[in-house]
Amino acid sequence: MRGRLDFDFGSAAYRWWFGSGNDVFGLGIGGAYYRVGASLSGLATLNGESAQASTSYSENAVAPLLQVGWRHAFNDSLRMYLNASGVKKNGGNLNGSIYNAALGVEWYPWRNVGFGTEYAYTRIKLNDDRETYNADLDLRLHGPSAFVKFRF
């Protein structure tokens, strides 16, 4: 028996920044695309006779995206940030929500190149409602990340 689960997510948003000085707050709106795909295949043998079967599934959806953010600049090259975003789609075959939050630090020792580290939490909870079945995907992802960042 062999199984595979694929999840793709992409988003685009515009964020407006409010405030001045060392602290600014952002509000963003946009759209998100996500796709869930799964496949299952197997081979069974009984008394020398073999049978093979496989099935696959793929569904996608588009949903609105909302973002909020905060930035605190300690100086020109070091800042701290908090980002949160959410996608929620009701109706349709594939529906549910995707939420993300991240707390991080960015350091730019050079004007356009820097380093970052963050701790992020993501919750993905999707449901596919059909007449013949009901499939759920419930993922929680969390942990640290490190980046090389470029800004222009």
Side-chain angles (χ1 to χ4, degrees):
M1 174 98 31
R2 179 178 208 136
R4 179 182 174 115
L5 175 67
D6 291 319
F7 177 75
D8 298 317
F9 180 82
S11 66
Y14 186 82
R15 190 177 293 179
W16 292 270
W17 291 100
F18 306 97
S20 61
N22 292 348
D23 290 294
V24 294
F25 299 90
L27 178 62
I29 58 172
Y33 166 85
Y34 53 91
R35 184 188 71 81
V36 178
S39 63
L40 187 63
S41 63
L43 174 67
T45 303
L46 180 65
N47 295 331
E49 298 291 323
S50 296
Q52 183 175 352
S54 64
T55 186
S56 64
Y57 160 87
S58 182
E59 186 71 45
N60 61 60
V62 175
L65 170 71
L66 179 63
Q67 297 178 326
V68 294
W70 166 75
R71 304 280 186 270
H72 174 77
F74 296 101
N75 56 44
D76 288 343
S77 63
L78 182 64
R79 71 179 176 181
M80 178 178 180
Y81 64 88
L82 177 63
N83 289 328
S85 64
V87 172
K88 181 153 179 73
K89 181 178 183 292
N90 296 324
N93 290 335
L94 185 60
N95 55 68
S97 58
I98 302 170
Y99 300 108
N100 182 301
L103 176 64
V105 175
E106 297 174 323
W107 174 55
Y108 285 88
W110 303 282
R111 178 180 167 99
N112 295 0
V113 180
F115 305 97
T117 184
E118 74 178 24
Y119 189 90
Y121 174 83
T122 301
R123 173 81 189 266
I124 302 166
K125 190 167 185 172
L126 302 175
N127 181 270
D128 189 5
D129 292 321
R130 303 289 177 135
E131 288 182 19
T132 56
Y133 67 87
N134 183 16
D136 294 320
L137 175 64
D138 191 356
L139 293 173
R140 290 185 179 112
L141 308 169
H142 58 89
S145 299
F147 308 98
V148 175
K149 295 188 157 215
F150 300 95
R151 65 179 178 184
F152 299 96

